[in-house]
């Protein structure tokens, strides 16, 4: 029990916030990990193990609240910036096309929508590439998305990872544009 008292003192009075002090994002799930007790049971536990006072309401501490607020601001910034950068894409002509694994992108999407507490980690494009000779190219049946250079740079600056793959659009508008999946030899690794 002495280990729990350390957590109690970090968040103020005993109010079951020791469960949140380890990971503040559990506050929304507090009712899944706590149970209300009759006063007689609480008094017995208090006399036997110490601690207190009893928690009659659950309030998140200011430190945990600050962490949750900052996480929400991060999610909003990332989503707003992503939407802004993608507003005109792919309508723009003659832009480089960057590829991103949909597996990683879906993890990011779940995070920014607040359905997951932890960010997705580094971008992992390893499931969308294959080695042909000495050249890495897009895997024929892989699931990937296409991003503008600005959107790729935005995500890569935050999450790092890779490998980075892009298709350079032809600068001559008279040539017919082809699907980058059909021209694997033009796909480059940065």
């Amino acid at each position: 029990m002495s280990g729990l008292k350390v957590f109690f003192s970090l968040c103020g009075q005993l109010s079951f916030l020791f469960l949140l002090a380890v990971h503040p994002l559990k506050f929304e799930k507090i009712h899944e990990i706590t149970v209300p007790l009759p006063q007689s049971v609480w008094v017995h536990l208090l006399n036997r193990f110490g601690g207190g006072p009893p928690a009659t309401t659950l309030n998140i501490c200011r430190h945990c609240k600050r962490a949750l607020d900052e996480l929400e601001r991060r999610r909003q910034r990332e989503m707003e910036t992503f939407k802004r950068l993608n507003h005109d894409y792919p309508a723009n002509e003659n832009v480089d096309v960057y590829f991103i694994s949909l597996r990683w992108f879906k993890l990011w999407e779940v995070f920014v929508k607040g359905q997951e507490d932890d960010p997705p980690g580094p971008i992992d494009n390893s499931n969308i590439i294959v080695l042909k000779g000495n050249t890495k190219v897009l895997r024929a049946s892989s699931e990937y998305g296409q991003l503008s250079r600005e959107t790729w740079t935005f995500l890569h600056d935050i999450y790092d990872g890779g490998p980075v793959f892009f298709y350079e659009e032809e600068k001559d508008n008279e040539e017919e544009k082809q699907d980058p999946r059909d021209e694997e030899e033009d796909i480059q690794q940065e």
Side-chain angles (χ1 to χ4, degrees):
M1 291 303 288
S2 62
L4 293 179
K5 291 179 184 175
V6 173
F7 291 119
F8 298 163
S9 66
L10 289 176
C11 290
Q13 296 180 339
L14 170 62
S15 61
F16 290 102
L17 285 174
F18 65 95
L19 298 168
L20 304 177
V22 176
H23 197 298
L25 303 178
K26 298 287 186 223
F27 189 75
E28 291 81 18
K29 299 176 184 180
I30 193 71
H31 298 291
E32 296 174 16
I33 58 176
T34 62
V35 62
L37 297 174
Q39 185 175 1
S40 60
V41 174
W42 173 256
V43 169
H44 172 72
L45 292 173
L46 180 63
N47 290 334
R48 176 128 189 203
F49 299 106
T56 56
T57 62
L58 294 175
N59 298 308
I60 192 166
C61 76
R62 62 187 163 101
H63 304 291
C64 297
K65 174 88 168 95
R66 191 176 313 127
L68 287 172
D69 290 345
E70 179 54 37
L71 182 63
E72 186 56 33
R73 284 191 296 275
R74 174 186 174 175
R75 286 179 169 137
Q76 287 176 344
R77 271 193 314 269
E78 287 186 29
M79 182 58 87
E80 289 171 5
T81 303
F82 179 83
K83 286 179 179 180
R84 180 178 47 79
L85 291 173
N86 272 329
H87 183 264
D88 293 330
Y89 182 80
N92 293 337
E93 297 290 328
N94 298 327
V95 295
D96 295 338
V97 177
Y98 283 71
F99 299 93
I100 192 162
S101 166
L102 285 184
R103 181 171 63 189
W104 183 89
F105 186 81
K106 289 174 185 176
L107 293 173
W108 175 80
E109 189 175 35
V110 167
F111 167 69
V112 295
K113 288 182 176 181
Q115 299 165 348
E116 176 61 45
D117 295 338
D118 298 320
I123 296 170
D124 181 9
N125 278 342
S126 62
N127 66 318
I128 66 170
I129 61 171
V130 65
L131 192 60
K132 287 197 176 184
N134 290 333
T135 306
K136 292 181 180 178
V137 296
L138 282 174
R139 187 179 307 269
S141 61
S142 61
E143 294 184 2
Y144 56 85
Q146 298 179 358
L147 303 173
S148 67
R149 175 192 309 252
E150 294 80 11
T151 305
W152 169 264
T153 302
F154 167 70
L155 291 172
H156 193 259
D157 285 350
I158 296 170
Y159 294 100
D160 202 22
V164 180
F165 281 94
F166 67 96
Y167 172 73
E168 239 175 340
E169 283 291 325
E170 295 292 327
K171 302 305 178 195
D172 184 0
N173 288 335
E174 294 176 17
E175 290 185 26
E176 180 181 323
K177 292 189 174 122
Q178 297 180 357
D179 186 339
R181 289 178 248 190
D182 295 337
E183 295 190 16
E184 292 177 341
E185 66 275 1
D186 290 339
I187 297 172
Q188 301 174 9
Q189 181 180 5
E190 199 174 271

